[in-house]
Amino acid sequence: MSFSRKLYVIFPAAGSGTRMKSDKNKLLMEVNGVTVIDRTIEAFKQYSDESGIDLSCVLVVSPGKTDEWDSYVKDKDYASMISSIVEGGDTRTKSVGNGVSALKAFNPANDDAVFIHDAARCLIDKDSISRCFEAINEDETNVCVSGVKTKNTIKMVKEDISQGVMVESTPNRNLLYEVQTPQCFKYSILEECYRRAKEDGYEATDDTALAEHYGYKVRIVEGSYSNIKITTPEDIAIAEALLRNMQ
Ligand code: C5P
């Protein structure tokens, strides 16, 4: 196995944040005094510093906001890791697709590891990053994703106009995983999936669904229950409580 010393990370950060119900961009909200975006990128910097793995990042931001983000990151400790800031689109798939197009400028090798990590998942820990990096560097793994076994029982439902939401079936909980990010690809597979999705107009709420759609096997790598996505106002308080527990 040729173990890469290079990692590319695309941070989709172009969401509208409407579920946060705030005028302020949720990525600039603070969790224990540090902004969400700083926590997210710092976690990857810490992994890079400790492992010696060279990191290049693409930040995908809302249309018209590249200059603003450029000013924001330029004085940060992690500024040199941000190789490119590009505009996203109106869906996550389009935003990540723009990030993948921006990667071409760095001439990645076919086998180079590329992670897509939600900018809003600011409690990502270096062990979860490391497990994903090791997995994607194995010859037989082209695509993998961080995930945890679901703790809850999940119901498949059908929305019925007269009866309301009706249960169709109860999948076996032992076979259900909740996936998070990082979502990880070997570069050539990522490039192919996003190129084909653009041609086909195919959209999905996560990146590895594109790989499944185009016939690639996707492996789940153990994630962390703390790796929550900051989405609604209570997530800030939950993240602060989790951080107290992690320290
Ligand atoms: O919408 P969702 O919660 O799945 O968003 C996950 C991540 O994708 C967030 O970091 C968000 O900023 C990003 N996103 C994006 N472009 C969009 C929608 C979401 O970059 N159009």
Side-chain angles (χ1 to χ4, degrees), residues 11-17 19 25-27 60-63 88-96 116-121 181 204-206 229-231:
F11 291 112
S16 59
R19 287 171 290 178
N25 184 331
K26 70 175 178 183
L27 300 176
V60 185
V61 302
S62 301
D90 57 358
T91 64
R92 190 180 184 286
T93 303
K94 286 184 188 140
S95 292
V96 174
I116 296 128
H117 183 73
D118 294 337
R121 287 191 191 268
T181 64
T205 51
D206 81 324
K229 184 167 64 178
I230 304 291
T231 308

